[in-house]
Short mmCIF file of all heavy atoms in Angstrom, two decimals:
data_model
loop_
_atom_site.label_atom_id
_atom_site.label_comp_id
_atom_site.label_asym_id
_atom_site.label_seq_id
_atom_site.Cartn_x
_atom_site.Cartn_y
_atom_site.Cartn_z
N LEU W 1013 0.91 -1.23 -0.08
CA LEU W 1013 -0.01 0.05 0.03
C LEU W 1013 0.91 1.22 0.03
O LEU W 1013 0.58 2.34 -0.59
CB LEU W 1013 -0.93 -0.04 1.21
CG LEU W 1013 -2.05 -1.12 1.21
CD1 LEU W 1013 -2.91 -0.92 2.45
CD2 LEU W 1013 -2.82 -1.00 -0.09
N GLU W 1014 1.98 1.21 0.68
CA GLU W 1014 2.88 2.37 0.66
C GLU W 1014 3.45 2.65 -0.66
O GLU W 1014 3.79 3.73 -0.98
CB GLU W 1014 4.01 2.22 1.71
CG GLU W 1014 3.60 2.19 3.18
CD GLU W 1014 4.63 1.96 4.17
OE1 GLU W 1014 5.76 1.82 3.70
OE2 GLU W 1014 4.37 1.95 5.33
N SER W 1015 3.60 1.62 -1.56
CA SER W 1015 4.27 1.87 -2.79
C SER W 1015 3.28 2.18 -3.88
O SER W 1015 3.79 2.66 -4.83
CB SER W 1015 4.87 0.44 -3.21
OG SER W 1015 3.78 -0.49 -3.60
N LEU W 1016 2.00 2.35 -3.69
CA LEU W 1016 0.97 2.64 -4.59
C LEU W 1016 0.95 4.16 -4.94
O LEU W 1016 1.22 5.05 -4.11
CB LEU W 1016 -0.27 2.12 -4.33
CG LEU W 1016 -0.44 0.66 -4.00
CD1 LEU W 1016 -1.83 0.22 -3.55
CD2 LEU W 1016 -0.03 -0.22 -5.29
N GLN W 1017 0.51 4.47 -6.22
CA GLN W 1017 0.35 5.89 -6.52
C GLN W 1017 -0.98 6.47 -5.99
O GLN W 1017 -0.96 7.57 -5.61
CB GLN W 1017 0.21 6.01 -8.09
CG GLN W 1017 1.56 5.63 -8.73
CD GLN W 1017 1.23 5.63 -10.28
OE1 GLN W 1017 0.52 4.78 -10.81
NE2 GLN W 1017 1.92 6.53 -10.93
N ARG W 1018 -1.87 5.65 -5.79
CA ARG W 1018 -3.17 6.09 -5.31
C ARG W 1018 -3.36 5.42 -3.84
O ARG W 1018 -3.05 4.19 -3.67
CB ARG W 1018 -4.41 5.62 -6.16
CG ARG W 1018 -4.22 6.39 -7.50
CD ARG W 1018 -4.69 7.85 -7.29
NE ARG W 1018 -6.04 8.06 -6.81
CZ ARG W 1018 -7.14 8.27 -7.54
NH1 ARG W 1018 -7.10 8.25 -8.76
NH2 ARG W 1018 -8.21 8.31 -6.88
N GLU W 1019 -4.15 6.11 -3.02
CA GLU W 1019 -4.42 5.50 -1.67
C GLU W 1019 -5.56 4.45 -1.91
O GLU W 1019 -6.62 4.84 -2.44
CB GLU W 1019 -4.86 6.55 -0.75
CG GLU W 1019 -3.74 7.54 -0.34
CD GLU W 1019 -4.01 8.38 0.70
OE1 GLU W 1019 -5.15 9.13 0.60
OE2 GLU W 1019 -3.37 8.74 1.68
N VAL W 1020 -5.47 3.30 -1.26
CA VAL W 1020 -6.39 2.31 -1.44
C VAL W 1020 -6.74 1.73 -0.12
O VAL W 1020 -5.99 1.45 0.64
CB VAL W 1020 -5.82 1.12 -2.43
CG1 VAL W 1020 -6.90 -0.01 -2.48
CG2 VAL W 1020 -5.39 1.65 -3.71
N ASP W 1021 -8.05 1.60 0.11
CA ASP W 1021 -8.54 0.84 1.34
C ASP W 1021 -8.77 -0.51 0.93
O ASP W 1021 -9.37 -0.95 -0.25
CB ASP W 1021 -9.83 1.41 1.92
CG ASP W 1021 -9.63 2.86 2.39
OD1 ASP W 1021 -8.57 3.04 2.92
OD2 ASP W 1021 -10.65 3.61 2.36
N VAL W 1022 -8.52 -1.49 1.74
CA VAL W 1022 -8.60 -2.95 1.51
C VAL W 1022 -9.36 -3.68 2.51
O VAL W 1022 -9.27 -3.44 3.72
CB VAL W 1022 -7.12 -3.62 1.28
CG1 VAL W 1022 -7.27 -5.12 1.02
CG2 VAL W 1022 -6.30 -2.88 0.42
N PHE W 1023 -10.31 -4.57 2.15
CA PHE W 1023 -10.99 -5.36 3.07
C PHE W 1023 -11.20 -6.77 2.58
O PHE W 1023 -11.03 -7.13 1.58
CB PHE W 1023 -12.50 -4.65 3.31
CG PHE W 1023 -13.38 -4.76 2.07
CD1 PHE W 1023 -14.25 -5.85 1.87
CD2 PHE W 1023 -13.28 -3.74 1.17
CE1 PHE W 1023 -15.01 -5.95 0.75
CE2 PHE W 1023 -14.14 -3.86 -0.01
CZ PHE W 1023 -15.02 -4.90 -0.15
N VAL W 1024 -11.39 -7.54 3.69
CA VAL W 1024 -11.59 -9.10 3.50
C VAL W 1024 -12.91 -9.35 4.11
O VAL W 1024 -13.18 -8.98 5.25
CB VAL W 1024 -10.57 -9.95 3.90
CG1 VAL W 1024 -9.20 -9.74 3.08
CG2 VAL W 1024 -10.06 -9.64 5.38
N ILE W 1025 -13.71 -10.35 3.57
CA ILE W 1025 -14.96 -10.78 4.17
C ILE W 1025 -14.86 -12.28 4.37
O ILE W 1025 -15.25 -13.03 3.40
CB ILE W 1025 -16.19 -10.34 3.36
CG1 ILE W 1025 -16.14 -8.85 3.14
CG2 ILE W 1025 -17.50 -10.76 4.15
CD1 ILE W 1025 -17.47 -8.39 2.37
N PRO W 1026 -14.39 -12.76 5.52
CA PRO W 1026 -14.48 -14.23 5.81
C PRO W 1026 -15.73 -14.67 6.30
O PRO W 1026 -16.72 -13.93 6.42
CB PRO W 1026 -13.40 -14.33 6.83
CG PRO W 1026 -13.52 -13.00 7.69
CD PRO W 1026 -13.85 -11.99 6.61
N ASP W 1027 -15.86 -15.89 6.75
CA ASP W 1027 -17.07 -16.43 7.40
C ASP W 1027 -17.27 -15.81 8.70
O ASP W 1027 -16.14 -15.36 9.35
CB ASP W 1027 -17.08 -17.90 7.44
CG ASP W 1027 -15.87 -18.43 8.29
OD1 ASP W 1027 -15.99 -18.56 9.55
OD2 ASP W 1027 -14.76 -18.66 7.75
N PHE W 1028 -18.47 -15.94 9.33
CA PHE W 1028 -18.59 -15.31 10.68
C PHE W 1028 -17.78 -16.04 11.77
O PHE W 1028 -17.23 -15.25 12.59
CB PHE W 1028 -20.12 -15.60 11.09
CG PHE W 1028 -21.07 -14.57 10.36
CD1 PHE W 1028 -22.00 -15.33 9.57
CD2 PHE W 1028 -21.08 -13.33 10.43
CE1 PHE W 1028 -22.95 -14.39 8.80
CE2 PHE W 1028 -21.84 -12.54 9.69
CZ PHE W 1028 -22.90 -13.15 8.90
N VAL W 1029 -17.43 -17.28 11.68
CA VAL W 1029 -16.75 -18.00 12.73
C VAL W 1029 -15.32 -17.42 12.80
O VAL W 1029 -14.66 -17.35 13.96
CB VAL W 1029 -16.59 -19.38 12.35
CG1 VAL W 1029 -15.69 -20.10 13.37
CG2 VAL W 1029 -18.06 -20.13 12.49
N SER W 1030 -14.77 -16.86 11.75
CA SER W 1030 -13.37 -16.40 11.64
C SER W 1030 -13.23 -14.90 12.02
O SER W 1030 -12.08 -14.47 12.04
CB SER W 1030 -12.80 -16.62 10.27
OG SER W 1030 -12.87 -18.00 9.87
N LEU W 1031 -14.27 -14.23 12.25
CA LEU W 1031 -14.14 -12.77 12.32
C LEU W 1031 -13.29 -12.42 13.64
O LEU W 1031 -12.45 -11.51 13.47
CB LEU W 1031 -15.50 -12.13 12.68
CG LEU W 1031 -16.42 -12.09 11.35
CD1 LEU W 1031 -17.80 -11.56 11.71
CD2 LEU W 1031 -15.74 -11.10 10.29
N LEU W 1032 -13.48 -12.94 14.78
CA LEU W 1032 -12.61 -12.64 15.94
C LEU W 1032 -11.12 -12.96 15.74
O LEU W 1032 -10.22 -12.21 16.09
CB LEU W 1032 -13.15 -13.26 17.19
CG LEU W 1032 -14.55 -12.70 17.59
CD1 LEU W 1032 -15.01 -13.45 18.82
CD2 LEU W 1032 -14.59 -11.25 17.91
N SER W 1033 -10.87 -14.19 15.16
CA SER W 1033 -9.46 -14.47 14.91
C SER W 1033 -8.88 -13.50 13.89
O SER W 1033 -7.64 -13.09 14.03
CB SER W 1033 -9.41 -15.90 14.61
OG SER W 1033 -9.98 -16.13 13.27
N TYR W 1034 -9.64 -13.19 12.95
CA TYR W 1034 -9.05 -12.24 11.89
C TYR W 1034 -8.74 -10.85 12.58
O TYR W 1034 -7.82 -10.05 12.35
CB TYR W 1034 -10.09 -12.06 10.77
CG TYR W 1034 -9.72 -12.86 9.57
CD1 TYR W 1034 -9.39 -14.24 9.70
CD2 TYR W 1034 -9.83 -12.29 8.40
CE1 TYR W 1034 -9.06 -14.92 8.63
CE2 TYR W 1034 -9.47 -13.04 7.20
CZ TYR W 1034 -9.06 -14.30 7.32
OH TYR W 1034 -8.73 -15.04 6.24
N ARG W 1035 -9.63 -10.38 13.33
CA ARG W 1035 -9.68 -9.06 14.11
C ARG W 1035 -8.33 -9.12 14.89
O ARG W 1035 -7.65 -8.08 14.71
CB ARG W 1035 -10.87 -8.93 15.05
CG ARG W 1035 -10.69 -7.64 15.84
CD ARG W 1035 -11.63 -7.53 16.99
NE ARG W 1035 -11.28 -8.63 18.03
CZ ARG W 1035 -12.11 -8.80 19.07
NH1 ARG W 1035 -13.16 -8.10 19.34
NH2 ARG W 1035 -11.70 -9.87 19.88
N ASP W 1036 -8.12 -10.19 15.62
CA ASP W 1036 -6.97 -10.21 16.52
C ASP W 1036 -5.66 -10.31 15.67
O ASP W 1036 -4.67 -9.71 15.98
CB ASP W 1036 -6.99 -11.38 17.38
CG ASP W 1036 -8.14 -11.31 18.40
OD1 ASP W 1036 -8.68 -10.25 18.62
OD2 ASP W 1036 -8.49 -12.30 19.05
N ALA W 1037 -5.69 -11.08 14.56
CA ALA W 1037 -4.47 -11.09 13.75
C ALA W 1037 -4.09 -9.84 13.02
O ALA W 1037 -2.94 -9.42 12.93
CB ALA W 1037 -4.64 -12.22 12.69
N ILE W 1038 -5.14 -9.14 12.54
CA ILE W 1038 -4.99 -7.80 11.93
C ILE W 1038 -4.45 -6.86 12.98
O ILE W 1038 -3.45 -6.16 12.57
CB ILE W 1038 -6.28 -7.27 11.32
CG1 ILE W 1038 -6.66 -8.25 10.15
CG2 ILE W 1038 -6.12 -5.95 10.84
CD1 ILE W 1038 -7.99 -8.09 9.66
N LYS W 1039 -5.01 -6.80 14.12
CA LYS W 1039 -4.53 -5.89 15.11
C LYS W 1039 -3.09 -6.18 15.57
O LYS W 1039 -2.34 -5.35 15.68
CB LYS W 1039 -5.46 -6.03 16.35
CG LYS W 1039 -5.04 -4.92 17.44
CD LYS W 1039 -6.00 -5.13 18.66
CE LYS W 1039 -5.77 -4.15 19.82
NZ LYS W 1039 -6.83 -4.22 20.86
N SER W 1040 -2.71 -7.45 15.73
CA SER W 1040 -1.49 -7.86 16.13
C SER W 1040 -0.35 -7.51 15.10
O SER W 1040 0.72 -7.05 15.47
CB SER W 1040 -1.25 -9.32 16.36
OG SER W 1040 -0.16 -9.84 16.66
N ALA W 1041 -0.71 -7.61 13.83
CA ALA W 1041 0.16 -7.30 12.74
C ALA W 1041 0.27 -5.77 12.46
O ALA W 1041 1.11 -5.29 11.68
CB ALA W 1041 -0.24 -8.08 11.47
N GLY W 1042 -0.69 -5.08 12.86
CA GLY W 1042 -0.77 -3.58 12.70
C GLY W 1042 -1.00 -3.27 11.17
O GLY W 1042 -0.50 -2.34 10.63
#
């Protein structure tokens, strides 16, 4: 994202069961 010419927002939509683990992994990775 830092290398791009334009600012881009990115999202992923997993299943409901995975939302909390995804939240924690994304937060941990910053």
Side-chain angles (χ1 to χ4, degrees):
L1013 293 179
E1014 288 178 2
S1015 72
L1016 300 178
Q1017 294 173 292
R1018 295 288 300 263
E1019 293 183 317
V1020 179
D1021 293 330
V1022 180
F1023 65 91
V1024 292
I1025 306 183
D1027 60 87
F1028 288 118
V1029 175
S1030 302
L1031 286 174
L1032 291 179
S1033 63
Y1034 261 47
R1035 178 197 65 184
D1036 294 344
I1038 292 168
K1039 183 178 180 180
S1040 178

